[in-house]
Amino acid sequence: MNPQYAQVSVVVIGYDDATHVTDAVRSALAQGPAVREVIAVDDCSTDGTADLLDALAAEEPRLRVIHRTVNSGGCGSPRNDGIDAAAAPYVMFLDSDDVLPPGAVDALLTAAEGQRVEVAAGLCVRRELPSGREVPWERALYAEPALVSHPARRTRLVHDTLCVNKLYRTDFLREHRIRFPDGRYPYEDFVFTARVWAAGPRVALIPDTVYVWHVRRDAARLSISLDRADVDNWRARTEANQAAYEILLGAGEKRLARAVHAKFLDHELRMYTRELELRDPEYRRAWWELTRAHLASFDATDFTANPTAPGRLVARVVMASPAPRDLARLKELAARPARLLPPYARASDTTPVWSDDLPQVTLDHVLVRPAHLLPAAVDAELRPRARGTLLRLRLHELYGRLAQAGPASMDVEFAHREEDRVGLRLETPLLPDRYGDLWTAEAPVDLSALGAGTWDLRMTLRFRDGTSRDVTAHALTGPGLLRRRAVPDARRGVLLVQPYRTHAGALALRTASGWRGMTDVVGRRLKRLLH
């Protein structure tokens, strides 16, 4: 190994993760000679993780193990231990249940050395397990190579709060005393990355995938980002956002600080709003109170910078009401793309408003926004039947704006959720009703073209002037609409079909092919009922 090339210390942190930690460490060692050392910090595990790491270290001279004698309760303290121990010019972080893909360190190191920057960052993918489906994190930010002379020149950087898809100059972190919050501090990477951007580094962005974030939704111990059922998770998230804002504002980085608030409105607020209907009344009241308190710290410019954004409208409704309300409608507004469901109220001066009893939340922006950017509301129902399956769509008028643009047709795709492929495409014209408030469409669906899987409906609303708008369909839930049915299938004998409503309120579809698939689905349902 050329000692001049061994430039990187990889800090792997773990606690009670004997099942996965070996894969994480080996993925770091497999990066090749660019890795001078792997520093594994065991946070006082009790499940054999420490012994596994010691056994690996006995065989691998590049692996050093640090054993904490007291569990820190979080991810920050062990990472700080790694920063303190790092002997290489560059350092990066890896969690024990994730992996570094081949070539990740070389790609980041080449960018850092070639551009002479303090931070190099690449694409992280969220890999859903066990399906293996991969979803890029902040794909647009890493679409192409870029050199950012100062973080304020690319404010989108604050949306990527991950610390693990980046390579840092070790002396840069130490010179600016950039560390993670110690102890139990959920969302510690929000604070760490804010401290990094506040120090004003030059940043190299690369399109290479440099980190694989494993998402295990059925794990016995959920990760912090997935364990959102307790309101303390939301409290921790708002506090971490506020800390990041204050760090950047205190460093004189007002544009970046405002971008933190914009991210909160567009990402966190919308994500948690979509889940509110799943929570109990006590959670909702506490969430509403915490959200109002956090939003009260925002400047007026945080809401007026882009007043048409769905997250800002959600925030205005929350701020205008002292108690939770309109949760179903807010959930649809928080969807991607947003859906603004009726009723469409007007104030006494005919200004569009959220509702008759909340006239201070105005919607006058819908009168000037281009129609292809409006939060159009589409209702959908899928009726699987032995004699033929029908998809029915209903597009709502929106204060006269859609009528001006002239809805013409709807393109519909049934997209396989895990495999990211389209199983069926269809196009259907939209016909206005006689009252001018709705456009409707009805199309036959060949379910035999789909086979087994979970299918999302992706739709494009096309206007007469050639413009279009991506939309999703609000799932109607009337009697018999979301029932499981078995329908004849020429290829497989039978197809078990289950239309259902997603957490965001959209229509989706589960299918199981053949009698064996049907038996498996019924068996899993019985197992859930028994447990």
Side-chain angles (χ1 to χ4, degrees):
M1 181 192 302
N2 181 352
Q4 298 300 315
Y5 189 59
Q7 298 286 297
V8 179
S9 297
V10 180
V11 177
V12 182
I13 65 167
Y15 168 66
D16 280 0
D17 199 12
T19 304
H20 307 114
V21 68
T22 299
D23 290 339
V25 169
R26 285 179 173 163
S27 78
L29 293 169
Q31 297 297 310
V35 174
R36 177 179 299 184
E37 61 182 356
V38 175
I39 303 170
V41 184
D42 171 53
D43 202 3
C44 199
S45 295
T46 60
D47 71 338
T49 295
D51 293 337
L52 274 175
L53 291 173
D54 287 339
L56 286 170
E59 300 174 357
E60 173 53 66
R62 288 184 298 162
L63 176 59
R64 283 200 286 155
V65 182
I66 297 175
H67 295 287
R68 293 183 58 84
T69 57
V70 178
N71 178 257
S72 69
C75 298
S77 296
R79 290 202 189 113
N80 288 336
D81 292 343
I83 295 173
D84 292 339
Y90 295 92
V91 64
M92 64 185 300
F93 306 103
L94 171 62
D95 290 348
S96 62
D97 54 349
D98 300 329
V99 293
L100 297 180
V105 169
D106 278 345
L108 289 168
L109 183 59
T110 299
E113 292 278 88
Q115 301 285 0
R116 301 177 67 84
V117 298
E118 291 77 31
V119 180
L123 185 68
C124 169
V125 295
R126 291 167 51 101
R127 181 180 291 165
E128 298 274 351
L129 296 176
S131 73
R133 178 186 180 224
E134 293 188 349
V135 180
W137 173 264
E138 289 295 323
R139 184 204 299 266
L141 188 60
Y142 300 103
E144 57 186 14
L147 174 63
V148 183
S149 60
H150 189 282
R153 294 184 176 273
R154 189 71 65 90
T155 58
R156 186 74 190 183
L157 284 169
V158 303
H159 285 247
D160 182 10
T161 53
L162 302 181
C163 69
V164 290
N165 61 330
K166 301 173 179 69
L167 182 74
Y168 311 87
R169 279 201 67 88
T170 310
D171 58 3
F172 166 75
L173 297 182
R174 291 171 177 167
E175 176 187 350
H176 293 278
R177 300 180 181 178
I178 298 171
R179 300 175 70 79
F180 293 87
D182 278 310
R184 176 164 178 76
Y185 193 108
Y187 303 106
E188 77 293 331
D189 42 0
F190 286 32
V191 174
F192 178 82
T193 53
R195 289 171 175 166
V196 169
W197 303 142
R202 284 162 47 89
V203 185
L205 306 178
I206 61 174
D208 308 63
T209 299
V210 300
Y211 196 87
V212 179
W213 173 3
H214 285 150
V215 179
R216 297 178 172 90
R217 299 185 187 277
D218 58 352
R221 188 179 71 218
L222 291 175
S223 67
I224 290 172
S225 61
L226 295 179
D227 190 11
R228 299 194 292 266
D230 193 298
V231 76
D232 284 340
N233 179 281
W234 180 240
R235 178 181 289 106
R237 194 142 190 166
T238 58
E239 290 173 352
N241 269 280
Q242 187 61 25
Y245 174 85
E246 291 173 356
I247 288 166
L248 291 164
L249 194 65
E253 298 293 347
K254 189 172 183 179
R255 289 187 64 202
L256 291 172
R258 289 183 60 185
V260 169
H261 278 175
K263 175 186 72 75
F264 176 83
L265 294 171
D266 186 58
H267 177 59
E268 279 102 339
L269 183 61
R270 291 177 73 173
M271 176 171 59
Y272 283 73
T273 297
R274 291 194 295 269
E275 299 172 351
L276 270 182
E277 276 197 317
L278 304 175
R279 312 304 183 202
D280 60 39
E282 182 180 355
Y283 175 100
R284 295 172 186 173
R285 287 191 295 270
W287 184 93
W288 202 268
E289 181 179 340
L290 286 168
T291 306
R292 283 167 56 84
H294 184 52
L295 293 173
S297 69
F298 285 33
D299 294 334
T301 52
D302 293 324
F303 300 101
T304 59
N306 185 8
T308 63
R312 286 160 175 78
L313 182 51
V314 171
R316 290 167 58 201
V317 173
V318 172
M319 290 297 289
S321 174
R325 59 169 291 158
D326 302 334
L327 300 186
R329 199 172 182 220
L330 288 172
K331 175 184 66 178
E332 302 276 349
L333 182 62
R336 296 185 184 276
R339 301 182 291 267
L340 180 60
L341 297 186
Y344 301 126
R346 291 182 184 268
S348 56
D349 62 355
T350 74
T351 299
V353 295
W354 176 258
S355 63
D356 290 334
D357 62 335
L358 221 60
Q360 65 270 44
V361 181
T362 58
L363 308 178
D364 46 349
H365 62 274
V366 303
L367 301 179
V368 296
R369 289 278 280 176
H372 68 277
L373 298 178
L374 293 175
V378 179
D379 297 333
E381 58 180 273
L382 187 71
R383 292 185 176 269
R385 298 181 297 188
R387 62 180 183 276
T389 298
L390 286 177
L391 174 66
R392 291 174 176 154
L393 305 175
R394 184 173 63 186
L395 170 67
H396 293 271
E397 178 55 280
L398 189 60
Y399 296 107
R401 294 302 317 289
L402 295 182
Q404 294 174 6
S409 63
M410 193 79 76
D411 295 344
V412 182
E413 294 180 345
F414 288 77
H416 196 287
R417 184 172 298 170
E418 284 77 28
E419 300 175 7
D420 197 25
R421 62 180 174 85
V422 176
L424 180 65
R425 291 184 174 90
L426 55 92
E427 179 183 357
T428 181
L430 287 166
L431 303 175
D433 72 349
R434 59 179 177 173
Y435 302 108
D437 294 328
L438 296 169
W439 289 262
T440 60
E442 186 172 285
V445 177
D446 180 15
L447 292 177
S448 65
L450 297 180
T454 301
W455 305 87
D456 293 314
L457 270 69
R458 301 195 299 222
M459 301 187 298
T460 301
L461 168 61
R462 301 198 178 278
F463 297 101
R464 285 197 303 263
D465 63 2
T467 59
S468 62
R469 163 74 175 175
D470 290 338
V471 294
T472 53
H474 164 74
L476 294 176
T477 58
L481 288 181
L482 299 181
R483 291 176 55 191
R484 180 184 289 113
R485 295 177 182 271
V487 299
D489 186 295
R491 301 181 192 177
R492 307 166 188 88
V494 67
L495 192 69
L496 189 65
V497 182
Q498 172 70 73
Y500 75 98
R501 186 173 67 167
T502 69
H503 288 334
L507 179 66
L509 181 69
R510 295 189 187 97
T511 54
S513 58
W515 291 108
R516 181 174 180 178
M518 181 175 174
T519 302
D520 289 344
V521 170
V522 173
R524 287 195 298 271
R525 180 175 176 82
L526 288 173
K527 185 177 180 181
R528 287 196 300 269
L529 291 174
L530 291 173
H531 289 79

